[in-house]
Amino acid sequence: MRTLLITGPGGTGRTTVAAATALTAARQGTRTLVLGTDRDDTLGAALGVRTGPAPTSVEPGLTAWRPDAAQGFRDALAALQDRAASALDLLGATRLDPEELTPLPGADDLALLRALREAALAEAHDLLVVDLPPAPRALALLAAPEELRRALRRL
């Protein structure tokens, strides 16, 4: 799968460029996924559809997805609690309700990295267009996995 990363300073039309690129590719027959990173649905506004935590079909050949870090965090923790139910019961621990859970700092960035990985592994699309945050944050985000590997090696 080919991946196009769209970034730049805030307010320069990154989302519009990402949406136009994805629409053009899909209309030329390329199975395309466009991934949005804004908490606001600016990508959906540019495409004329609502986007959210589930991939949304925009038109034939084009899917849009805007991961929700908070919901993803809650879902992952609830699944972990389900898998560890017997251990939690043995310890007398009570489960956390999803409403009690708030995502950790950096959860938005981790949700985007996870979405990138899921999209690549799914092999359902030929092109991934990513509407990244402004350049400094985008570069830090993309460098995060290697920085984490380096820190863990040192530990």
Side-chain angles (χ1 to χ4, degrees):
M1 174 174 55
R2 184 171 174 210
T3 302
L4 296 176
L5 304 174
I6 312 292
T7 191
T12 58
R14 285 186 326 270
T15 301
T16 303
V17 169
T21 301
L23 277 168
T24 300
R27 289 176 180 166
Q28 291 175 349
T30 304
R31 295 176 309 155
T32 305
L33 171 64
V34 60
L35 186 62
T37 59
D38 288 340
R39 286 184 183 185
D40 298 327
D41 194 11
T42 55
L43 179 62
L47 293 170
V49 298
R50 256 191 118 123
T51 65
T56 303
S57 179
V58 177
E59 62 179 52
L62 179 58
T63 303
W65 184 21
R66 188 172 45 88
D68 180 344
Q71 188 61 47
F73 181 78
R74 283 196 237 18
D75 292 346
L77 196 51
L80 177 64
Q81 289 183 124
D82 289 343
R83 287 192 307 270
S86 55
L88 291 172
D89 291 342
L90 278 172
L91 296 171
T94 57
R95 293 175 176 222
L96 296 171
D97 291 327
E99 296 79 30
E100 294 179 274
L101 305 174
T102 57
L104 299 170
D108 288 333
D109 293 343
L110 292 174
L112 175 59
L113 291 173
R114 184 177 185 183
L116 288 170
R117 181 177 181 273
E118 287 178 19
L121 293 175
E123 298 181 8
H125 301 91
D126 302 313
L127 176 65
L128 172 61
V129 179
V130 186
D131 176 22
L132 286 170
R137 184 166 160 235
L139 292 174
L141 166 72
L142 295 172
E146 182 56 32
E147 293 295 324
L148 182 58
R149 267 192 231 82
R150 186 175 306 137
L152 290 174
R153 267 186 255 139
R154 290 193 68 186
L155 286 175

